[in-house]
Amino acid sequence: MEITGKTKIMFVLADPIDHVRASAVMNAYFGSIGDDLAVSPIHVLPGDLGHVVASIRLMRNVFGFGVTIPHKTCVTEHLDDMTEAARRIGAVNFVKRTAEGSLVGDNLDARGFIVSLAQHDVAVRDRKVLQVGAGGAGRATAFGLAEAGARELMIMNRDKEKARALAAAVAAHYPATKVSAGRAEARAFDLIVNTTSLGMKPDDPLPLDIEGVGPDATVSDIIVHPAVTRLLARAAAQGAKVIGGKPMLDAQMALVAGFIAR
């Protein structure tokens, strides 16, 4: 693609950055709909996040930026406004820069995740779900699962207090879903979801033990790269249905376009 002074510029803020695939997916999507827009990853350390966001305010041809690990919750401190969904979740994965330089955050992870499940004929309503992780992506996923009608949602996380806080927040908004924090055997659930970063590196341990998980269960990993994590490979070998992270990312492209246009 040819990038000129008329091209709309967007970034993806991350640390580390070698796992980022959103920029390639977004460039392909916007190219396919004829939109003159270019997206680039930007390596931003946590301590520099505020400075980078402040600089983006001054870049008049920048229309927004995506946000990924580890900035999804911390970036909220540097924004002017958030959508109701992002405020409820407490994390942002996309920010729109207005013509005046204001920054408005949204969270498209939850909607993208639920759409990706539906595209693979996986229903959430009335299902028992085990989620690993309570970070920025985990918050969005938990709220999305409850909104989609999960009967039960168990949240596992290394930081137990963080898991309990997320469970309480989701339960307060969706009392029809039985939400709890703790540990449980994966075999007791219909849907198992990894929202942690464990699996990005070849030597990462499995985020949880899936012994006994088989054909009656679905295992989802929101990691985009690698496309097949160790968790998904193990689950597939045991006969479970598996869904990687790229469908979730793909499902967000139309949502990003709509958010920019508003």
Side-chain angles (χ1 to χ4, degrees):
M1 64 181 297
E2 182 181 2
I3 301 175
T4 71
K6 295 181 179 180
T7 303
K8 292 178 283 188
I9 303 298
M10 290 172 58
F11 300 126
V12 178
L13 278 50
D15 175 44
I17 202 169
D18 56 354
H19 70 281
V20 173
R21 294 295 180 274
S23 51
V25 173
M26 292 171 75
N27 282 324
Y29 174 79
F30 284 108
S32 72
I33 63 174
D35 200 342
D36 186 11
L37 190 151
V39 186
S40 174
I42 301 291
H43 192 177
V44 181
L45 298 177
D48 297 330
L49 180 62
H51 298 294
V52 172
V53 172
S55 296
I56 289 175
R57 290 180 182 276
L58 307 178
M59 300 177 184
R60 294 181 176 273
N61 64 331
V62 173
F63 280 64
F65 55 92
V67 186
T68 187
I69 295 171
H71 304 308
K72 291 186 178 184
T73 55
C74 296
V75 75
T76 60
E77 304 170 13
H78 306 289
L79 306 180
D80 300 298
D81 199 6
M82 292 188 287
T83 63
E84 182 180 344
R87 191 173 290 108
R88 180 171 65 249
I89 293 167
V92 161
N93 81 320
F94 191 80
V95 177
K96 174 174 66 175
R97 182 192 179 280
T98 69
E100 296 76 27
S102 293
L103 301 177
V104 182
D106 198 359
N107 196 308
L108 310 176
D109 277 335
R111 280 168 280 172
F113 178 67
I114 298 303
V115 168
S116 71
L117 293 181
Q119 290 173 340
H120 287 79
D121 298 319
V122 174
V124 174
R125 184 165 299 279
D126 295 327
R127 310 300 289 276
K128 292 180 63 177
V129 186
L130 176 61
Q131 174 180 308
V132 186
R139 293 190 65 86
T141 304
F143 275 91
L145 289 164
E147 185 176 15
R151 181 174 83 251
E152 182 177 337
L153 174 61
M154 167 71 78
I155 301 172
M156 292 173 52
N157 193 62
R158 181 172 53 187
D159 184 333
K160 295 182 176 62
E161 183 53 42
K162 201 171 183 180
R164 285 192 288 267
L166 176 55
V170 174
H173 283 90
Y174 300 99
T177 299
K178 180 183 176 183
V179 189
S180 58
R183 302 191 68 83
E185 290 190 352
R187 70 180 75 189
F189 293 84
D190 306 307
L191 172 62
I192 298 100
V193 185
N194 175 41
T195 71
T196 76
S197 61
L198 288 175
M200 287 184 179
K201 300 175 183 176
D203 56 350
D204 277 346
L206 292 177
L208 80 165
D209 182 1
I210 59 169
E211 182 181 356
V213 172
D216 293 332
T218 299
V219 177
S220 173
D221 196 328
I222 70 168
I223 290 173
V224 176
H225 183 72
V228 180
T229 60
R230 287 184 60 208
L231 175 66
L232 294 184
R234 178 76 61 84
Q238 295 174 193
K241 185 170 188 173
V242 298
I243 305 173
K246 191 171 183 299
M248 174 182 173
L249 182 59
D250 289 340
Q252 294 186 57
M253 294 304 99
L255 299 174
V256 170
F259 182 50
I260 293 174
R262 289 204 302 268

